[in-house]
Amino acid sequence: MPRLARNKLEGKELFHVMVQGIKKEKIFFEEREKYEYIKLLNKYTKEYDVNIVSYCIMDNHSHTLIHTKNIQELTKYMHKLNTSYAIYYNKNKSRVGYVYRDRFKAQVIEDEKHLYNCILYIHNNPVKAEICKQAGEYKYSSYKKFLKNENSKMLTSIFKSKKEYIIAHSKTNILTNDFIEVEEDKEKEIVDYIQNYLNINKIDKKDLYINKEMLIPIVLELYNIYKLSNRQLEKYLYVSREKIRKILNKLE
């Protein structure tokens, strides 16, 4: 089942769905494996009441934007898709056992702006991973499908024109924290954010233990930007949860 309460899904029709390989391992090693997943992705839409808006298949995970009026259909569709690929993958690799870390994660798309940014986020996954410089260079996403004539109506219903669609993908100000991310990607982003803060302010991490004035800004920034819990803040900053709790209590 998706990690989202059913009462939050009522009346919603667009879902950002992510699956990841077990133990964060690669499950799409070869080109043929990525194309097989894309083939299955499209194949099972004929059996269930779902439509694929956009997708991107990476090495150890995939992102898909799905339209459906029925959450049960989404669950059945994802089960069929992932089971079929797991059978193919295990046979292809002469292995047995689980393929996915979880069944899948699903996130409701709340409004038009969220939809717009979700498409950009999905297509820019390989750019963020530094696999390519532009979204259009990546072969295993739906980026180019939007530019084909048969998809022009969908494109102009979300973007004003093909030109705007192309320009939008070249921007770097997409709010990635609004979307489901692969765990290691988010972790690296947080670690880099902390290191950048330390570098800019010319302080050492150990200074955060003893200097409350230095600690407060980074705690508040991480809390507001990444919505980290006290336990997570303790993990990344190596500062006691009690200190963090006192800082965050002042926000209330």
Side-chain angles (χ1 to χ4, degrees):
M1 293 297 292
R3 293 181 171 184
L4 208 53
R6 282 183 181 269
N7 62 349
K8 291 185 180 179
L9 299 174
E10 291 176 2
K12 303 294 183 180
E13 298 183 2
L14 283 160
F15 303 92
H16 173 206
V17 177
M18 194 269 280
V19 296
Q20 185 176 23
I22 190 167
K23 296 179 182 178
K24 306 177 187 176
E25 294 170 358
K26 290 183 179 181
I27 53 174
F28 306 107
F29 283 86
E30 304 169 34
E31 182 173 77
R32 64 173 174 164
E33 291 167 345
K34 291 183 175 76
Y35 280 131
E36 177 66 20
Y37 194 80
I38 292 170
K39 184 183 84 174
L40 295 172
L41 197 72
N42 291 301
K43 176 182 177 180
Y44 295 123
T45 59
K46 297 172 183 177
E47 293 185 30
Y48 303 98
D49 185 21
V50 300
N51 291 301
I52 306 301
V53 179
S54 63
Y55 63 81
C56 185
I57 315 302
M58 302 292 282
D59 287 347
N60 78 335
H61 70 284
S62 71
H63 289 274
T64 313
L65 181 57
I66 298 175
H67 175 262
T68 181
K69 293 183 178 180
N70 190 323
I71 184 58
Q72 283 77 21
E73 288 292 287
L74 175 63
T75 301
K76 289 188 286 187
Y77 167 77
M78 289 304 302
H79 175 72
K80 185 68 175 281
L81 166 64
N82 288 341
T83 300
S84 297
Y85 181 75
I87 292 170
Y88 164 85
Y89 179 79
N90 281 342
K91 184 178 179 181
N92 191 36
K93 298 295 182 188
S94 300
R95 71 184 290 276
V96 294
Y98 293 108
V99 173
Y100 305 103
R101 187 168 176 228
D102 297 298
R103 290 189 180 183
F104 67 94
K105 296 179 182 179
Q107 172 188 39
V108 172
I109 300 301
E110 298 290 348
D111 52 40
E112 289 183 11
K113 184 179 179 181
H114 201 195
L115 168 62
Y116 180 99
N117 279 324
C118 187
I119 293 170
L120 301 184
Y121 171 72
I122 288 173
H123 289 161
N124 272 297
N125 251 245
V127 177
K128 183 181 177 183
E130 299 182 349
I131 295 170
C132 57
K133 292 184 178 180
Q134 297 178 352
E137 296 171 357
Y138 194 68
K139 295 191 290 185
Y140 316 109
S141 82
S142 55
Y143 176 90
K144 290 182 180 178
K145 286 183 176 292
F146 272 80
L147 298 174
K148 293 181 179 179
N149 290 332
E150 61 265 31
N151 293 304
S152 59
K153 186 175 179 181
M154 180 185 292
L155 185 147
T156 53
S157 68
I158 302 169
F159 301 87
K160 292 177 183 178
S161 64
K162 288 184 180 181
K163 183 178 179 181
E164 192 213 326
Y165 173 78
I166 294 169
I167 292 173
H169 278 83
S170 68
K171 294 179 180 177
T172 57
N173 59 348
I174 302 165
L175 299 175
T176 57
N177 56 302
D178 280 350
F179 304 104
I180 305 170
E181 297 206 33
V182 226
E183 193 171 297
E184 65 266 29
D185 286 349
K186 186 172 182 180
E187 186 165 329
K188 182 180 183 301
E189 188 176 324
I190 293 169
V191 170
D192 288 347
Y193 191 95
I194 294 170
Q195 190 57 53
N196 189 49
Y197 172 85
L198 296 175
N199 291 342
I200 290 172
N201 291 282
K202 297 180 180 180
I203 58 176
D204 192 273
K205 203 167 188 177
K206 63 183 180 182
D207 293 329
L208 299 178
Y209 298 95
I210 55 178
N211 193 321
K212 189 177 178 182
E213 295 307 312
M214 291 180 179
L215 177 62
I216 291 173
I218 189 64
V219 167
L220 296 181
E221 285 183 30
L222 291 172
Y223 177 78
N224 290 320
I225 295 171
Y226 296 101
K227 312 302 179 187
L228 299 181
S229 66
N230 289 10
R231 185 187 296 274
Q232 290 171 314
L233 287 166
E234 178 185 39
K235 168 191 166 185
Y236 286 111
L237 296 173
Y238 301 103
V239 176
S240 73
R241 226 176 296 176
E242 181 59 23
K243 277 189 177 181
I244 292 166
R245 185 188 64 78
K246 288 178 180 179
I247 292 170
L248 294 180
N249 277 349
K250 292 183 178 180
L251 290 177
E252 298 175 356

